[in-house]
Amino acid sequence: MVATDVTGAEGVVPLRIDTPFLVGAVNVWLIEDEPLTLVDTGANTGTGLLQLRGLLAQHGYGLADVGRIVVTHQHLDHAGLAGPLAQVSGAEVVAFTGMDEYLAGGPASALAEERFDRDLMRHNGVPATTVAGWWAARPDTRGFASEVPAVRTVADGDALTFAGRTLHVHHRPGHSPSDLVLHDRDRGTLIVGDHLLAGHPPVPMIGPSLPGDAPRGRPDPAAPAGDDDAPFTVARRGSALLDLRDSLRRTRELGAAIALTGHGAAITDVAANVDRRLAEHDASAEALLAELRRDGPGTGHELSVRTAPGGRAHPYFGLCGTLGALDQLVDEGHALVADGDGPPRYEAR
C-alpha cells in the first residue's frame, strides 16, 4: 500500500514505483520545492523510469524539471535508477559519505556486496551447497544498478536547503551502513527510507563498510580484540542490529510526528513505532537465549534454522536476523562465542 496519508507533509508527494524485488513497490518522494527533488529512485529498469515519468507528468512535471535526487541508502530498490535519471534530468545526486565511490561503481559495487554476503554465510556455517544454491537462484542484481559518476556527499548534521524548507540530515545505520533520514523540523516530518517501516520490521543487513572515511558503526561484540585499522572482513564485521538500535533511539529523540517511509504507509506515531521495534528485538533475543539454554550451542546458521518457523530460514536474511539477536545477547552479557575452530559457535553464559 502506498503512503497516501501524509497529512502535515506539506509539498511532499509519494510516487509509487514498481521494483523487480520481493519487497514490491518503493515510495519515491517528490518534494515540490526549489529545487524540485526526488528522494530515492527505484531500481534501474525501463518500467521504473517510464512509471516515474508518467507520475511526474500527473503532477505537471517532466524528468528535466528534477533538480536534485537524494538517495536514502544503497539498496537497489532505492538507488538503482539514480544514474540514468541524473543523466536524463541533469539533477545533482546527494547521498551519505562514502556513497560517492559506492555509486560510481554501480554494478561492481552491487556484486562486491553480494560476494560479501556469500562469504558471511560461509563464515557462519551455512553449507556450501546452500550458498551455491542461493547464489545461482538470486536475481542478477548488477542489471538493476547504475553508475553515478558525480555524487554530492553529506554527513550527519548537514542540511539540504530549499526555497521553502530545510531538511536536516541524520545518519541512521542499521538497515544498511549508508541509511540517512531527512528531518523537516518546522513541519515535524521525517523522510526515512527503510530506517522505519510501518509493516514488516527493517532487516539489520550485515554488509561491507562504506568506502573512504565513512563511519563504521558498532563492531561485532563477539569478535576478538584486535587492530581497529585492520581490513573490514566478514571475520571483523560490524553489528547491524546494534547500529540499528542506536539509530532508532536517536530518531525517537527527534520528536517528529510523521515518518514518510520507503515502502508502505506513512508512520503517524514515530515514538510508538520505535518502541515496538526495540521491543521486537528484545523478544527475539530472549527467544534465542531460551533456545541456547534448552538445546545448546550452535553456529549462526544452525540457530537461524532452529528458531525459524518450520526450520526454514532464508540463508542470508535469516542469518542477519539471528546474528543481530546474538550480538545483542553478547553485548548484554548473556551469551559468548565458544572456543574452537571452524564457524563461530555461540553459547549461553
Side-chain angles (χ1 to χ4, degrees):
M1 183 173 63
V2 70
T4 54
D5 181 10
V6 290
T7 303
E10 175 189 345
V12 183
V13 179
L15 308 179
R16 186 178 186 274
I17 306 298
D18 291 329
T19 77
F21 307 117
L22 289 176
V23 71
V26 64
N27 294 329
V28 173
W29 293 96
L30 170 65
I31 302 177
E32 296 184 289
D33 206 326
E34 179 59 39
L36 190 72
T37 295
L38 293 175
V39 180
D40 290 335
T41 67
N44 182 20
T45 69
T47 298
L49 183 61
L50 292 175
Q51 283 184 324
L52 187 56
R53 186 181 67 176
L55 291 169
L56 283 170
Q58 292 178 20
H59 293 279
Y61 305 110
L63 291 173
D65 296 318
V66 177
R68 179 187 285 160
I69 300 162
V70 182
V71 173
T72 62
H73 62 291
Q74 65 211 67
H75 295 156
L76 297 181
D77 52 332
H78 295 262
L81 193 54
L85 186 56
Q87 184 175 3
V88 170
S89 65
E92 71 166 352
V93 177
V94 179
F96 184 67
T97 300
M99 284 288 284
D100 49 347
E101 185 175 336
Y102 184 93
L103 290 172
S109 296
L111 183 60
E113 192 161 358
E114 286 196 340
R115 285 175 171 161
F116 180 98
D117 300 344
R118 183 174 56 176
D119 291 343
L120 179 78
M121 289 188 285
R122 288 172 172 165
H123 179 74
N124 285 281
V126 180
T129 53
T130 302
V131 176
W134 168 80
W135 185 257
R138 86 204 192 291
D140 189 345
T141 57
R142 288 174 296 177
F144 304 123
S146 63
E147 295 179 358
V148 188
V151 177
R152 171 189 166 192
T153 59
V154 291
D156 189 79
D158 287 346
L160 298 176
T161 58
F162 297 75
R165 73 194 68 215
T166 298
L167 298 181
H168 297 270
V169 176
H170 300 282
H171 184 213
R172 294 294 186 263
H175 177 62
S176 82
S178 58
D179 282 69
L180 56 81
V181 304
L182 306 173
H183 185 200
D184 187 332
R185 295 175 183 171
D186 294 332
R187 296 168 177 82
T189 302
L190 295 169
I191 306 178
V192 297
D194 290 354
H195 170 58
L196 300 176
L197 294 172
H200 191 280
V203 176
M205 295 174 66
I206 301 168
S209 59
L210 289 171
D213 297 327
R216 287 190 177 182
R218 298 278 294 275
D220 168 12
D227 183 0
D228 289 338
D229 294 326
F232 190 94
T233 65
V234 293
R236 294 183 54 82
R237 65 173 177 84
S239 174
L241 190 279
L242 295 182
D243 280 346
L244 181 57
R245 287 172 65 80
D246 289 345
S247 293
L248 287 169
R249 295 185 184 102
R250 292 198 301 274
T251 295
R252 196 186 196 286
E253 292 171 357
L254 295 176
I258 299 172
L260 309 180
T261 63
H263 303 275
I267 295 168
T268 56
D269 190 335
V270 173
N273 182 275
V274 168
D275 291 345
R276 176 159 58 99
R277 297 309 182 207
L278 293 173
E280 289 168 349
H281 299 158
D282 292 340
S284 294
E286 290 171 5
L288 189 55
L289 181 59
E291 169 67 25
L292 286 170
R293 288 172 172 165
R294 181 176 57 248
D295 292 332
T299 67
H301 169 68
E302 290 168 346
L303 292 166
S304 179
V305 172
R306 278 162 50 179
T307 56
R312 300 180 66 183
H314 188 284
Y316 171 67
F317 293 116
L319 178 64
C320 284
T322 299
L323 290 176
L326 288 166
D327 287 352
Q328 183 175 345
L329 291 174
V330 172
D331 187 61
E332 294 174 353
H334 301 304
L336 52 77
V337 174
D339 294 331
D341 298 327
R345 294 183 64 80
Y346 293 81
E347 63 182 18
R349 294 187 76 121

